[in-house]
Structure formats: structure tokens, C-alpha cells
Amino acid sequence: VTCPGLKRNLVISTFDNLSWTTRKALRKLDPLTVVTCKVLPPQLENTNADPFTNLDICTTKVDLGWKKVGQNFDQWEKIPNVKKFYHTVSPKFTTFALVPTGPV
């Protein structure tokens, strides 16, 4: 009789400094995913330690196609002819990005 959790728990025991919640989460994963987490490069370990938020987005130097014309939330005016850069990924998929129109 084999115990599928045995190998997974063995790999989890080799991790350093794991909280009990992380250990609990790892126990719910399949063994291959647990091993993959173990061998990830150290550069990836804390990539989300300080995630971006909406406060990190600054658009004061980029024209996004709208201009604030009053103090109220709904007082915006659309700016015609905003420049767009189109990128065709495949015949059925195209993306676009707004092109900055001022000093960036």
C-alpha cells in the first residue's frame, strides 16, 4: 500500500521557514507542483512581496483620451483623435496601446 501524501510531505519538510498556513496550502497541491515550488529560482520567491496597487499608476504625463472639465466625478470630456498603436498578434487577435502625446 502506498501513501500518496508521503512524498509530498517529505518535499514540504525540506522547505525552510514556511508558515503553517503555507505548509497547509502545499499539502493540498499535487506532488509535482510542490516539487516545482521547491526548485524555483530564489529570484521568484518574493516577486509578489510588494505588489503594485492602483496608487502606482500615474497618468499625469499621458493623454488617455479624456480631459477633466469640472470638479464632479462625471465631468469629463472625450478628446478626439487619440493616437493608438496597433499590434497584430494573429489574424484574429489585435491589441492596441494609447500613444503618449506629451512629454513623458
Side-chain angles (χ1 to χ4, degrees):
V1 178
T2 61
C3 181
L6 181 62
K7 292 179 184 177
R8 179 184 319 121
N9 289 336
L10 183 64
V11 174
I12 292 170
S13 69
T14 64
F15 281 85
D16 294 326
N17 302 322
L18 286 184
S19 67
W20 69 270
T21 54
T22 302
R23 288 183 190 280
K24 186 177 176 182
L26 286 172
R27 285 188 191 103
K28 294 180 181 180
L29 301 175
D30 64 280
L32 178 61
T33 304
V34 174
V35 170
T36 304
C37 292
K38 176 66 177 170
V39 297
L40 282 176
Q43 299 89 337
L44 297 178
E45 287 181 9
N46 293 317
T47 53
N48 290 331
D50 186 23
F52 290 110
T53 67
N54 63 321
L55 300 176
D56 296 316
I57 300 172
C58 178
T59 59
T60 56
K61 297 180 181 179
V62 179
D63 180 357
L64 297 176
W66 294 88
K67 178 179 170 186
K68 185 85 167 145
V69 293
Q71 295 298 320
N72 294 335
F73 179 77
D74 61 347
Q75 292 180 317
W76 290 84
E77 188 175 275
K78 188 169 181 162
I79 299 172
N81 303 325
V82 174
K83 294 181 183 178
K84 296 178 184 174
F85 170 76
Y86 290 91
H87 175 72
T88 302
V89 178
S90 73
K92 294 184 177 183
F93 183 66
T94 301
T95 64
F96 73 91
L98 299 175
V99 178
T101 57
V104 177

